[in-house]
Amino acid sequence: MLKLIAFDLDGTILRDNKELSRRSLEALELAAGKGIRIVPATGRLYSGIPEEIRTLPFVRYVIAANGAEVYDAAEGKVLRRAELTLAEAGRILAYIKGEPAILGCYRDGKGWMDREELSRMEEYAQTPKLAEIMKRVYTPVDGMENFLKSSDHTVQKLMLFYSDLEARKRTLERMGAELADLAVSTSVPNNIEINAREATKGGALKFLCEYLHLNRRESVAFGDGTNDITMIRQAGTGIAMGNACPEVLKAADQVTKSNDQDGVAVWIEEYLTGGH
């Protein structure tokens, strides 16, 4: 029996215009009404989750920042943290020096970016809508290295955004081997995301299932990007969106329709009517 549904946001439950469709909302409401826990699992910060999802009355637990944080919205507290140390963050900064990309940082539940790089966001965001969202997420700082050294707080995630997709591809392939002690993934076609090794959506889902005394076989997870692969594999049933990258399609147990075709809703509707 299904007891938990976890889903990525961008490219999964959200359409390409970054909106939650009426059909998807109604499917989530229907599942929640059956007693199934609804868990957003995103690379975004908790505060960066669209209000229409974050404020749903049945959304209590959230996996944020690729698993760096498991948050209990009802209690207003973090249940699990898995963050980059300052030494790891400094090593990453040295490693990416000279990359043709801009760098974003999640720290203390907020987004930060070098002031000059933030001013060039439109060059690196995939769409005007994404640029608008990112400008809301990031606060400008005067130099990322100085910012990281300004306190002893750990870092939830570092992200690179590229306008040159071939450069991004080369760096991503290299990072997989040279930063093997960290969690390197992607969520959109022009980014690279770097987390602590333990900060994965799969690790967060495993923790949450244990915390809620659920068997992982009672969970299902939906995703489209490589940052979803650990969750796809950890869930009892891992489902790739029709628009998912090849690595996710290979890892998944099933494939549903694309995000723009409300693939999550389609699967939930079929499950609740005995189609799965």
Side-chain angles (χ1 to χ4, degrees):
M1 180 182 294
L2 182 60
K3 294 186 179 179
L4 185 151
I5 297 174
F7 52 85
D8 174 49
L9 297 184
D10 302 289
T12 300
I13 195 73
L14 297 178
R15 290 184 173 178
D16 284 346
N17 62 6
K18 302 300 180 182
E19 293 180 359
L20 179 70
S21 73
R22 168 57 61 179
R23 183 179 185 181
S24 291
L25 173 59
E26 291 177 349
L28 295 179
E29 290 174 337
L30 188 61
K34 299 290 186 180
I36 300 171
R37 295 188 182 274
I38 305 300
V39 181
T42 179
R44 300 192 192 199
L45 293 166
Y46 175 73
S47 61
I49 295 173
E51 186 176 2
E52 60 186 336
I53 295 176
R54 194 176 67 246
T55 59
L56 289 171
F58 49 80
V59 171
R60 174 170 181 174
Y61 301 102
V62 174
I63 295 170
N66 284 345
E69 179 177 286
V70 178
Y71 188 73
D72 181 343
E75 296 291 332
K77 66 180 182 181
V78 177
L79 301 177
R80 176 185 186 263
R81 292 185 190 276
E83 302 187 355
L84 293 163
T85 66
L86 288 184
E88 288 172 330
R91 178 161 64 93
I92 294 165
L93 286 188
Y95 182 89
I96 65 174
K97 191 172 183 179
E99 278 292 300
I102 57 176
L103 176 69
C105 171
Y106 285 173
R107 186 188 207 180
D108 300 327
K110 297 180 180 179
W112 311 91
M113 186 174 286
D114 177 81
R115 190 180 307 276
E116 190 274 333
E117 292 189 351
L118 186 58
S119 71
R120 296 188 287 122
M121 174 58 68
E122 281 81 359
E123 300 174 33
Y124 295 87
Q126 285 184 295
T127 65
K129 181 71 173 179
L130 186 56
E132 176 187 335
I133 292 171
M134 293 173 73
K135 282 189 173 182
R136 289 201 304 267
V137 167
Y138 291 106
T139 298
V141 297
D142 293 319
M144 188 58 68
E145 186 172 0
N146 290 336
F147 170 72
L148 291 176
K149 291 179 178 178
S150 66
S151 79
D152 59 358
H153 293 195
T154 53
V155 173
Q156 291 164 299
K157 184 170 71 168
L158 291 173
M159 293 145 289
L160 290 165
F161 298 93
Y162 291 78
S163 59
D164 183 342
L165 297 185
E166 284 303 313
R168 176 257 197 186
K169 180 180 179 181
R170 290 192 298 270
T171 300
L172 183 60
E173 291 172 350
R174 191 174 70 247
M175 276 187 177
E178 297 177 356
L179 295 181
D181 59 324
L182 301 173
V184 178
S185 64
T186 66
S187 62
V188 293
N190 74 321
N191 86 342
I192 297 176
E193 307 190 357
I194 309 169
N195 288 84
R197 185 179 184 87
E198 297 78 17
T200 65
K201 292 185 182 182
L205 179 61
K206 180 177 184 292
F207 164 85
L208 188 56
C209 285
E210 292 172 351
Y211 181 82
L212 297 173
H213 305 292
L214 301 179
N215 189 309
R216 73 177 185 89
R217 290 192 293 273
E218 300 171 319
S219 67
V220 62
F222 298 83
D224 71 302
T226 63
N227 63 337
D228 298 315
I229 291 176
T230 57
M231 179 173 70
I232 292 286
R233 289 174 172 162
Q234 179 64 36
T237 304
I239 303 173
M241 305 304 292
N243 54 286
C245 67
E247 296 92 336
V248 175
L249 291 168
K250 183 178 180 180
D253 301 304
Q254 299 177 21
V255 179
T256 187
K257 292 187 179 295
S258 73
N259 63 319
D260 271 351
Q261 296 172 310
D262 299 327
V264 174
V266 169
W267 192 95
I268 292 173
E269 292 164 357
E270 291 180 356
Y271 173 83
L272 295 178
T273 56
H276 288 288

